Amino acid sequence: MTSDASPSRRAVLGLAAAAVPAALLATGAAPASAASAVGGERLGLDGIQVRRLGGAPPVPKAAAQSWLVADYESGEVLASYRAHHRLPPASTLKMLFADTVLPKFDKALKHRVTAADLAGIPEGSSLVGVEAGTTYTVDQLWHGVFLRSGNDAVHVLSAMNGGVPATVREMAAKAVDLQALDTHVVSPDGYDHAGQVSSAYDLSLFARHGLRNTDFRAYCATRTAEFPARGGKKFQIQNTDRLLGEYKGMIGVKNGYTTHAGNTFTGAATRDGRTLLVTVMHPVNGYDQVYKDTSALLDWGFRAAGRVTPVGTLVAPVSEGGRPSAAATPAAGPNAARSGSGGSGDSSSSWPLFGAGGGAAALLAAGTVALRNRKPRRTRKH
């Protein structure tokens, strides 16, 4: 089921997305200066960043506009290309949605979906097949999010979480806590909206944080699942991650595609006790290129282990003792969000254009603490 978002709903969601004062938000392709880049100065530089030692293999050529290779355990960034370049994230933004909402509800909790839960799902959205009048467990809804990138499942979980605007605000606060300061959230599902941006660095932060959650890790590694249908029936859904079961040691994490964003992917794989994270954004070629780039960069990362000096680090969340970044609010630029029509997953709309800036951290710090200390919300069982 899809429907166009009504103007009033768009207005409400736009106001929620603008909860961080616009005076502190600006769009741009990269931090104002490399010195202010979260995770290290070299991550703010253009061009491929790598420090190879003797015998280290060369970094493979990639078609992506931005990419990053990092060690999952240590957070060391082994190599990167325009790590903080702001681009539309597509459904990889659902990792932040899961980081924010997944811990709140028991997996066995049941929810009978209403038409209101599904209102405002953008036309052309990817759907898992959630229907009003049918009861789902939270576990089933998360399978719909991770395997089929279902915007319908995202909207139902958002409704359970107090609504889309509230969820957008919480995701923005979560991004600040994770120090993902390139990210600006407009919708919880990654749908193409003007001003909705992230970066390879931020998506890697979302994946690393999520994979520490047992349920998150299990969902993104699941290849098939049964999903409820009318009349007590079920149908099988498959994970759209093409590297699951194909790339040795692959454990997830999330892929995305829209006409506006192109292809995006964050993947994690383990070999010989070492786990690497790779994020690839917007390859210039076809659909498979994002997976080819990811595979090549993972192969390089495993071969280069112990033969490179890190060029930066994936920082720890502020709530877990991470030192707050001193990143400055980025200057305006042309690459933060481009207008275009969506398809296959999302489409653009005429929402206010904002970007995320480091200056928002102080204003949202109190909100982040409040969210962290708030008791989980429960919905009535049906």
Side-chain angles (χ1 to χ4, degrees):
M1 174 186 298
T2 62
S3 63
D4 288 323
S6 66
S8 60
R9 185 174 181 83
R10 288 186 177 184
V12 171
L13 187 51
L15 288 172
V20 181
L24 295 181
L25 299 176
T27 58
S33 67
S36 70
V38 180
E41 180 176 348
R42 291 195 62 160
L43 299 183
L45 299 175
D46 207 355
I48 294 175
Q49 303 302 314
V50 64
R51 292 171 174 163
R52 293 193 295 147
L53 303 176
V59 179
K61 292 183 179 179
Q65 293 187 41
S66 176
W67 54 261
L68 182 145
V69 182
D71 184 278
Y72 166 74
E73 292 293 343
S74 68
E76 294 176 343
V77 177
L78 308 184
S80 68
Y81 174 65
R82 304 169 89 189
H84 285 289
H85 187 59
R86 291 187 179 88
L87 293 165
S91 288
T92 48
L93 191 64
K94 289 182 171 76
M95 293 188 293
L96 176 60
F97 173 72
D99 288 343
T100 305
V101 178
L102 192 152
K104 292 189 172 188
F105 302 103
D106 189 285
K107 293 191 298 182
L109 186 66
K110 294 181 179 180
H111 179 76
R112 183 177 177 85
V113 174
T114 68
D117 294 341
L118 299 172
I121 298 175
E123 185 177 7
S125 287
S126 54
L127 304 171
V128 66
V130 176
E131 295 183 288
T134 301
T135 298
Y136 302 85
T137 64
V138 166
D139 183 59
Q140 290 164 337
L141 291 170
W142 281 115
H143 277 110
V145 171
F146 277 90
L147 274 66
R148 300 303 302 176
S149 209
N151 288 1
D152 45 358
V154 169
H155 276 249
V156 171
L157 287 164
S158 295
M160 295 171 64
N161 188 52
V164 169
T167 300
V168 167
R169 289 193 297 270
E170 291 183 15
M171 288 173 65
K174 186 68 173 180
V176 171
D177 179 54
L178 295 177
Q179 306 203 59
L181 303 184
D182 299 321
T183 298
H184 179 57
V185 184
V186 177
S187 68
D189 48 32
Y191 186 91
D192 281 341
H193 291 296
Q196 182 150 271
V197 291
S198 192
S199 67
Y201 184 86
D202 286 8
L203 294 178
S204 300
L205 289 179
F206 301 155
R208 188 181 185 219
H209 183 76
L211 287 171
R212 293 173 178 171
N213 181 297
T214 302
D215 291 332
F216 183 110
R217 182 181 283 256
Y219 287 131
C220 71
T222 300
R223 297 178 64 182
T224 63
E226 296 294 313
F227 200 78
R230 287 182 181 178
K233 298 181 180 180
K234 292 184 178 181
F235 60 95
Q236 188 183 79
I237 57 175
Q238 300 83 32
N239 199 316
T240 56
D241 178 352
R242 293 192 177 189
L243 292 187
L244 272 181
E246 298 297 326
Y247 186 87
K248 181 181 178 182
M250 196 70 190
I251 57 176
V253 181
K254 190 71 187 74
N255 57 337
Y257 170 79
T258 69
T259 302
H260 181 48
N263 293 290
T264 59
F265 183 64
T266 297
T270 299
R271 288 186 188 175
D272 301 323
R274 182 184 180 93
T275 299
L276 295 181
L277 285 170
V278 167
T279 294
V280 172
M281 299 188 75
H282 303 218
V284 296
N285 298 326
Y287 183 76
D288 286 336
Q289 190 64 47
V290 73
Y291 297 108
K292 292 177 181 178
D293 284 357
T294 300
S295 297
L297 290 169
L298 282 169
D299 286 344
W300 173 83
F302 287 120
R303 291 197 306 270
R307 300 178 182 179
V308 295
T309 300
V311 295
T313 185
L314 298 179
V315 296
V318 174
S319 61
E320 297 176 14
R323 181 179 178 180
S325 171
T329 303
N335 297 320
R338 301 162 306 201
S339 61
S341 60
S344 182
D346 312 294
S347 64
S348 3
S349 67
S350 56
W351 291 34
L353 181 61
F354 298 114
L363 290 179
L364 284 180
T368 301
V369 173
L371 288 172
R372 192 164 68 244
N373 294 332
R374 196 177 71 178
K375 293 182 179 179
R377 188 186 320 246
R378 314 291 274 187
T379 61
R380 187 187 311 170
K381 296 186 178 180
H382 293 272

